[in-house]
Amino acid sequence: MHSVNGRERSMCSPSASTPPRLIEAIEADSGGSPSAPVTVSTSRHRVEVQEFSDAVLSCTFRTEKDQNPRIEWKKKGKDVSFVYYEGNFRGPFEGRAKIEGATVTLRRVTQDDAGEYRCEISAPQDSVSLGETNVTLKVLVPPHTPSCDIPSSAVTGSVVQLRCRDQQSIPPATYLWFKDSKPMSPPRHANATYLIDAHTGLLEFRSVAKEDSGRYSCQASNNVGPAKMCEGKQLTIEDINITAIVAGVGVVVFLVAACSCGGLLLHRNGFFSPGHRGRSNVSYITPPQEPQDFKHTQSFML
């Protein structure tokens, strides 16, 4: 057995423990001499690398007779596309990948490169002419600065939600909230005034109080790169102004009463009666009609 540029060629003899019937089958397929058909394997079926780094997709093979098998790499998706075919890289991999033996190195990978790849070895001269192995590439993305939705004010006793989200990190980020630059620990009892979901980034106050006022910020992390934090925003909790509410209600009541009284007076004065043209105590005098000009109504015959 010997290896050249990532491929191994093997002419094997059966061991003493090999069943006689299997030896006969192997010898019959290989023309009388026992040998192993083409086999394909990988040292890593799952590869995880950080975005913009290089990814090595391992593929080794061993042939029975064929010393120049055909090597192909394909990527699975909605459709199967060629990565390496007929000695050249194809599509987006052209100019940014290399092959040694059957092992492929992709340079500066992005999320578009993530997916499942298949290494295929075709050896027409072998009894089993085709072998393959699969490698899954996962591209890890460090946290980005999360977007934070923090209201500027609220009234005491109301429900207030603060949201934090980083939609680009892989794996998904977890979140930590800060108040006045101090981390907020998740509540440990059921009667807590707020809830924190570290996976969705939601901070919810069931009933805010004035002491909840402060400057809030959120940090996203996923152990791939350095954590990122959004800019802090001030949240001010204000008491409900009872005096202003009572005064406003009083003004509304006064306006409604005034409108009602005015409408009643107008109705009593006949303002809304049919044919009314003004106040009921005003007399209208029909203007005198001017004498009409003489109109010729009959014909006279002389």
Side-chain angles (χ1 to χ4, degrees), residues 2-226:
H2 57 88
S3 174
V4 179
N5 292 331
R7 65 174 182 268
E8 297 177 352
R9 183 170 180 271
S10 174
M11 299 295 291
C12 302
S13 298
S15 63
S17 60
T18 306
R21 293 182 179 179
L22 181 58
I23 295 176
E24 293 175 1
I26 295 175
E27 290 179 348
D29 290 340
S30 60
S33 60
S35 59
V38 59
T39 57
V40 184
S41 61
T42 180
S43 60
R44 296 178 64 187
H45 283 284
R46 187 175 181 84
V47 178
E48 294 185 356
V49 296
Q50 190 167 330
E51 190 178 29
F52 305 124
S53 62
D54 296 348
V56 178
L57 310 183
S58 165
C59 180
T60 57
F61 62 90
R62 184 177 61 184
T63 59
E64 177 185 357
K65 297 178 181 180
D66 201 330
Q67 297 189 22
N68 294 295
R70 185 176 65 192
I71 302 171
E72 294 180 1
W73 274 92
K74 298 175 182 178
K75 184 183 180 185
K76 297 180 181 179
K78 294 182 179 179
D79 299 314
V80 177
S81 58
F82 280 106
V83 176
Y84 182 81
Y85 179 69
E86 292 184 343
N88 295 293
F89 286 98
R90 305 286 176 161
F93 303 98
E94 186 177 359
R96 52 179 289 261
K98 67 177 182 178
I99 188 167
E100 295 180 357
T103 295
V104 165
T105 300
L106 305 179
R107 299 187 181 95
R108 292 185 59 79
V109 294
T110 65
Q111 276 302 303
D112 292 336
D113 298 321
E116 186 175 349
Y117 294 78
R118 184 171 66 228
C119 174
E120 296 181 358
I121 305 298
S122 177
Q125 299 179 18
D126 288 11
S127 56
V128 178
S129 60
L130 181 65
E132 63 182 42
T133 189
N134 294 320
V135 180
T136 300
L137 173 62
K138 183 177 182 179
V139 179
L140 307 178
V141 180
H144 288 63
T145 301
S147 60
C148 295
D149 183 12
I150 303 171
S152 59
S153 63
V155 295
T156 56
S158 62
V159 177
V160 177
Q161 292 183 340
L162 286 69
R163 299 181 182 275
C164 178
R165 193 66 176 166
D166 171 17
Q167 297 183 344
Q168 302 182 56
S169 59
I170 298 177
T174 56
Y175 304 96
L176 177 63
W177 279 97
F178 290 78
K179 179 187 177 185
D180 298 328
S181 302
K182 295 180 181 179
M184 299 178 63
S185 58
R188 298 181 180 179
H189 51 87
N191 296 328
T193 59
Y194 65 89
L195 297 174
I196 294 179
D197 192 326
H199 298 287
T200 63
L202 175 65
L203 168 59
E204 181 180 72
F205 292 92
R206 297 175 175 177
S207 179
V208 290
K210 293 201 69 174
E211 53 266 27
D212 294 321
S213 296
R215 189 173 183 82
Y216 288 85
S217 57
C218 173
Q219 175 181 281
S221 59
N222 69 352
N223 296 323
V224 176

Side-chain angles (χ1 to χ4, degrees), residues 206-274:
R206 297 175 175 177
S207 179
V208 290
K210 293 201 69 174
E211 53 266 27
D212 294 321
S213 296
R215 189 173 183 82
Y216 288 85
S217 57
C218 173
Q219 175 181 281
S221 59
N222 69 352
N223 296 323
V224 176
K228 297 288 181 140
M229 181 177 293
C230 69
E231 183 180 357
K233 296 181 181 179
Q234 181 69 29
L235 171 61
T236 302
I237 309 300
E238 301 173 344
D239 288 327
I240 299 176
N241 193 335
I242 302 297
T243 303
I245 294 176
V246 172
V249 172
V251 171
V252 172
V253 171
F254 173 77
L255 291 176
V256 171
C259 291
S260 299
C261 292
L264 182 61
L265 290 174
L266 292 174
H267 180 73
R268 287 181 177 179
N269 291 330
F271 186 82
F272 298 108
S273 60

